Amino acid sequence: MRIALFVTCVNDAAFPSAGIATVRLLERLGCQVDFPPAQTCCGQPQYNTGYRKATEPLVHRMAEAFDGYDHIVAPSGSCAAMVRDNYPRMGRRAAAEGRGEALNRAAEALVPRMYELTEFLVDVLGRTEVGAYFPHSVTYHPSCHGLRLLRLGDRPHRLLEAVEGLELRELPNAEECCGFGGTFAVKNADVSTAMGIDKVKSAVGTGAEVLCGADNSCLMHLGGILRRHDQPQRPLHLAEILAATREEPLDPYVPDPYVPAEPTRTPRADTRPDQPPRSSTA
Amino acid sequence: MSAPSETFLGFPAFPEAAHDAVRDRELRRTMRHATHTIRDKRARAVAELADWDELRTAGAQLKERTLRHLPHYLEQLEEAVTRAGGTVHWAADAAEANRIVAELVRETGEQEVVKVKSMATQEIGLNEALAAEDITAYETDLAELIVQLGRDRPSHILVPAIHRDRRQIQEIFRERMADWGRTAPENLTDDPVQLAEAARLHLREKFLNARVAVSGANFMIAETGTMVVVESEGNGRMCLTLPDTLITVAGIEKVVPTWRDLEVFLQTLPRSSTAERMNPYTSTWTGTTDGDGPRAFHLVLLDNGRTDTLADQVGRQALRCIRCSACLNVCPVYERTGGHAYGSVYPGPIGAVLTPQLHGIQSEVGASLPYASSLCGACYDVCPVAIDIPEVLVHLRERIAEQGGKGHRLEKAAVNAAGWVLNHPRALEVGERLASLTRRLQPKRLPGPGAAQWTRSRDLPELPARSFRAWWKENR
Ligand code: SF4
């Protein structure tokens, strides 16, 4: 079984620990993982902003980079969903526009082999217990694309529940979007932030030490809000929790990428669409 | 003469309107409560039906097939309506529709009409157009009445006054009812029962005096020429039966081929909109009947951008919409901004795909609406006719990007530059290394449009010491 890691561009450049954790986890479970260096980005940000044709070369790049592997595993629900949901759509559009079947073929070559991490663990490897150890309280935010496009269902919960020492706390209104939404986060920053603050309030309200997710782009947005409001809750990718063991434990309190180089300033009143989340720790 | 209010005149683009809306605490509280209540109820009502998915698919397919053969069904409808004693008028746009209705009312010699709640007449700005001809239109739906008395804009498809709480409604009734007819009772409180009773008394006078009514239609049945109106309050039933003349204005996409097709929609519409198993009133009428109901019936079939929408292979699915408003109630963006921020009578997710298609992407409002979504997909999930709203949003973004204009030229250059780097992994690697090396120098808040929008409310993560790519090279 030849397994390729599609680390995704966000993880590659900004959150390598999620990629490293995925490699360690899969290797611990007996998989041989490869990282084809020709991979870059699935093209989701460009596509969702309206640049479909500019995204097409990346579909071909993905197909070539991952050619020959049995399974492609991505520690990101939204990038896996981009490939599975939008690549075929792009292929159909290109064909309908009289531009041939090449894009369709590239999409078809990728779709059946593309897995989000929890799908791969539960459906392909048949594992919910992965030998992880993480003695902390955790709440899980199921990002929209994992929830509604991939229909990951309770896979992440089953994996987390099986982690030794982990206490899973229910996130209220879990199915609600966190407000990241790619370029939405900057094009409609006010609404995006208002949504993020509500999500962070729910998460902080659980009293959990860790806010876990399977999409680092959402966690970057939520983590940015947590930091801005000096909340100690730590955003953490699911792969990092599953990679942690008794032998190689993960301390959620060690400095993480969100620790600012300088102390955060209190935001000006007009930058806050709503109350900071600190009130909801009670 | 007031211009048709296709998009609210003078309204700012979505991000600016939303800026103020998300800071309005009272609005946020009202909207959160209202949307969550109906959202949860709908979920329970839908969960009761074991065959919901089949009904949803059937609804989508019925509408798709009808749209594909729209000219055929419209001609069949015209024939049937005429045969039953009605008159059919065709209106290419809002101005023509308004002209036709005003003329029809003038012919009756009346200066007042009562109205059943209708999105089509909102869309064309009929009340304003009639006012310009000295004809007063009285809204008889409770929420619509609140909007009219409050000289307000609707903010929801089904509950146009959803942004008002009962204290505000009490105030509006007390201060404004007298201007429009029967005064509000002396000691009116904000008790919902009292408020409804005040509205009932106020409206009863209107029904009993009205000689002309204007309605919309939820469905038009082609085989028999029958109009269908689905409602909860009974005001519609009054308007549709008491007056002498009935004028119905409906979008051409409201046609369904046969009575049987209602089987699907009369199950999915009430559960999706009010979370009821069945709506309290379903009125159907076919032309005119001697000694029973209106003696004259006119149907104004409205295009107003619909044929253009139909020509767009991806965008046309928006015409399946049965205006249930489930997508509004579940939308996290709509919940936080309310409906006014969308600058149009169609707010929320369906508004974001319908308004730019019906009225063009040239206006600032029209060009901003397709971006008013995080693409979370909740709207698609609940839509009873399976309109893939995120797909249409992205498609419209493509059309807007192609059109160019404000901000999009720079964006295109950035996308092309990124595209080059992403197609050259070696360049990407160098870029990542540079970013890591200089990470301590990078400020937490960045200048420039996009970056500043991020860092005004959120910290940026500190970049890692090395990229995953670099780690892999060293360790595997
Ligand atoms: S788009 Fe779908 S969910 Fe939204 S109002 Fe129309 S029918 Fe209802």
Side-chain angles (χ1 to χ4, degrees):
Chain A
M1 185 157 78
R2 294 190 66 205
I3 299 163
L5 171 69
F6 171 40
V7 76
T8 80
C9 64
V10 166
N11 286 329
D12 180 19
F15 304 97
S17 44
I20 297 167
T22 306
V23 172
R24 291 205 173 124
L25 169 66
L26 292 175
E27 288 179 348
R28 190 174 80 220
L29 298 174
C31 301
Q32 210 197 324
V33 187
D34 203 0
F35 174 76
Q39 63 177 284
T40 56
C41 166
C42 65
Q44 179 174 209
Q46 301 88 314
Y47 178 83
N48 280 347
T49 315
Y51 296 88
R52 172 169 60 95
K53 286 180 185 155
T55 311
E56 289 178 358
L58 293 174
V59 178
H60 290 297
R61 165 163 294 281
M62 286 283 288
E64 280 159 32
F66 292 104
D67 186 34
Y69 292 95
D70 300 309
H71 302 284
I72 310 161
V73 182
S76 161
S78 81
C79 300
M82 171 68 192
V83 172
R84 295 227 304 251
D85 198 50
N86 284 326
Y87 278 18
R89 184 175 278 136
M90 291 169 68
R92 283 195 301 273
R93 292 290 309 279
E97 286 160 0
R99 293 189 289 117
E101 292 293 328
L103 202 63
N104 249 334
R105 277 195 298 275
E108 273 164 24
L110 286 163
V111 170
R113 296 179 295 140
M114 177 59 67
Y115 291 88
E116 183 276 338
L117 176 63
T118 67
E119 288 177 316
F120 185 74
L121 294 172
V122 176
D123 302 354
V124 180
L125 299 184
R127 301 283 296 258
T128 46
E129 203 288 306
V130 295
Y133 171 72
F134 191 70
H136 301 281
S137 53
V138 172
T139 192
Y140 180 77
H141 168 56
S143 291
C144 302
H145 293 171
L147 191 70
R148 280 179 278 267
L149 289 176
L150 299 178
R151 305 273 170 199
L152 295 182
D154 65 355
R155 289 179 184 84
H157 294 89
R158 283 160 65 196
L159 287 157
L160 284 169
E161 273 161 5
V163 173
E164 189 189 344
L166 187 148
E167 183 208 336
L168 188 57
R169 299 199 181 164
E170 191 73 32
L171 179 67
N173 296 313
E175 74 296 336
E176 232 182 73
C177 176
C178 73
F180 171 67
T183 43
F184 173 75
V186 292
K187 281 187 191 272
N188 277 291
D190 290 308
V191 189
S192 166
T193 303
M195 288 161 70
I197 285 177
D198 285 348
K199 179 61 74 179
V200 161
K201 275 184 185 171
S202 301
V204 170
T206 65
E209 299 163 78
V210 168
L211 170 56
C212 173
D215 256 302
N216 263 332
S217 41
C218 302
L219 290 181
M220 175 171 71
H221 161 74
L222 295 172
I225 293 173
L226 283 167
R227 288 304 320 169
R228 182 59 58 92
H229 295 286
D230 294 321
Q231 289 295 318
Q233 192 174 63
R234 163 94 189 263
L236 207 50
H237 194 284
L238 178 66
E240 295 179 68
I241 292 175
L242 298 181
T245 57
R246 274 187 184 278
E247 295 69 40
E248 284 182 277
L250 170 65
D251 182 351
Y253 296 106
V254 299
D256 71 287
Y258 291 100
V259 171
E262 52 191 293
T264 30
R265 280 157 289 177
T266 315
R268 295 192 315 272
D270 73 329
T271 66
R272 289 182 288 175
D274 207 337
Q275 279 285 76
R278 68 185 97 238
S279 55
S280 51
T281 37
Chain B
M1 172 77 210
S2 58
S5 56
E6 292 168 346
T7 53
F8 298 155
L9 278 179
F11 256 67
F14 186 82
E16 288 93 77
H19 174 91
D20 297 336
V22 296
R23 286 168 177 76
D24 183 337
R25 285 167 178 282
E26 209 172 313
L27 177 72
R28 286 279 296 277
R29 205 180 318 112
T30 306
M31 291 303 297
R32 183 179 168 81
H33 177 74
T35 53
H36 278 258
T37 307
I38 185 69
R39 190 186 296 178
D40 297 345
K41 276 202 207 158
R42 176 217 156 263
R44 284 195 296 273
V46 163
E48 284 181 356
L49 292 184
D51 60 348
W52 181 259
D53 290 339
E54 284 88 345
L55 283 168
R56 182 170 179 258
T57 309
Q61 288 175 346
L62 274 168
K63 282 279 181 181
E64 260 323 288
R65 195 191 63 209
T66 314
L67 289 171
R68 217 168 24 243
H69 306 290
L70 194 58
H72 166 77
Y73 290 116
L74 286 173
E75 278 166 28
Q76 194 186 355
L77 176 75
E78 180 182 29
E79 226 180 274
V81 170
T82 313
R83 212 184 314 124
T87 312
V88 176
H89 311 259
W90 299 83
D93 56 19
E96 191 177 1
N98 286 332
R99 220 170 28 241
I100 293 169
V101 177
E103 184 59 32
L104 289 170
V105 178
R106 249 200 321 264
E107 276 169 18
T108 64
E110 292 295 315
Q111 296 216 295
E112 295 184 346
V113 302
V114 286
K115 279 186 72 200
V116 190
K117 185 182 149 10
S118 127
M119 288 312 298
T121 58
Q122 285 277 7
E123 178 188 322
I124 60 176
L126 179 66
N127 292 7
E128 294 79 9
L130 289 179
E133 306 275 324
D134 287 325
I135 299 164
T136 312
Y138 294 106
E139 294 291 350
T140 65
D141 169 86
L142 177 55
E144 205 74 80
L145 174 72
I146 296 165
V147 169
Q148 185 170 48
L149 294 180
R151 296 194 203 111
D152 201 357
R153 296 280 188 191
S155 71
H156 190 271
I157 294 178
L158 190 78
V159 196
I162 193 170
H163 57 287
R164 297 290 198 185
D165 63 24
R166 55 192 206 186
R167 197 189 40 72
Q168 293 172 318
I169 297 168
Q170 173 201 11
E171 231 175 79
I172 292 170
F173 278 11
R174 274 188 169 169
E175 286 172 16
R176 302 273 166 76
M177 257 185 179
D179 303 345
W180 288 80
R182 189 183 168 122
T183 314
E186 272 294 303
N187 40 17
L188 179 70
T189 69
D190 67 356
D191 171 23
V193 179
Q194 280 195 30
L195 293 173
E197 185 56 23
R200 192 170 293 128
L201 293 171
H202 178 85
L203 290 170
R204 184 129 320 209
E205 278 185 5
K206 302 270 180 278
F207 296 131
L208 294 174
N209 295 329
R211 314 287 303 269
V212 182
V214 176
S215 86
N218 291 97
F219 306 97
M220 306 184 288
I221 302 168
E223 62 175 353
T224 53
T226 304
M227 304 290 120
V228 183
V229 162
V230 171
E231 47 134 0
S232 300
E233 294 171 12
N235 65 303
R237 177 68 53 91
M238 300 279 227
C239 292
L240 298 168
T241 50
L242 292 174
D244 299 328
T245 302
L246 174 57
I247 305 167
T248 297
V249 183
I252 50 175
E253 81 284 14
K254 295 283 157 209
V255 67
V256 295
T258 68
W259 271 91
R260 252 195 87 167
D261 302 325
L262 289 184
E263 178 202 340
V264 173
F265 299 118
L266 290 186
Q267 291 186 77
T268 53
L269 179 54
R271 285 179 199 258
S272 299
S273 57
T274 51
E276 290 165 306
R277 291 175 181 148
M278 188 78 237
N279 49 290
Y281 297 88
T282 302
S283 301
T284 68
W285 70 99
T286 310
T288 54
T289 309
D290 279 342
D292 182 14
R295 270 169 296 174
F297 169 61
H298 296 273
L299 172 61
V300 182
L301 289 171
L302 178 71
D303 186 324
N304 207 29
R306 285 161 174 78
T307 330
D308 291 341
T309 306
L310 204 54
D312 185 318
Q313 292 298 322
V314 180
R316 60 186 290 169
Q317 54 185 310
L319 294 179
R320 287 184 212 151
C321 176
I322 55 173
R323 310 278 190 268
C324 71
S325 71
C327 59
L328 278 65
N329 299 333
V330 80
C331 177
V333 175
Y334 175 82
E335 175 192 330
R336 283 167 186 85
T337 64
H340 290 159
Y342 293 79
S344 146
V345 292
Y346 298 113
I350 184 60
V353 295
L354 204 55
T355 306
Q357 293 202 90
L358 292 182
H359 311 309
I361 53 176
Q362 291 79 28
S363 74
E364 227 192 306
V365 173
S368 72
L369 287 177
Y371 300 92
S373 165
S374 64
L375 305 178
C376 82
C379 48
Y380 176 37
D381 255 19
V382 297
C383 178
V385 284
I387 300 171
D388 191 340
I389 294 177
E391 179 183 39
V392 182
L393 287 167
V394 170
H395 171 68
L396 292 174
R397 291 176 185 184
E398 187 179 331
R399 279 178 46 190
I400 291 163
E402 275 171 5
Q403 152 184 290
K406 201 178 155 194
H408 292 285
R409 262 183 288 276
L410 246 171
E411 184 179 272
K412 189 170 190 164
V415 167
N416 286 338
W420 185 86
V421 174
L422 294 172
N423 223 358
H424 295 78
R426 183 68 203 141
L428 179 65
E429 193 179 332
V430 171
E432 283 172 353
R433 190 141 18 96
L434 265 175
S436 290
L437 283 173
T438 58
R439 71 200 165 107
R440 297 276 169 203
L441 308 172
Q442 288 154 9
K444 285 277 129 193
R445 293 177 195 223
L446 302 173
Q453 286 299 332
W454 179 278
T455 55
R456 216 151 43 88
S457 58
R458 291 157 287 212
D459 281 13
L460 279 168
E462 191 180 322
L463 280 176
R466 61 187 165 181
S467 67
F468 175 83
R469 208 171 282 273
W471 176 87
W472 178 269
K473 246 188 179 169
E474 287 160 32
N475 292 276
R476 288 295 185 279

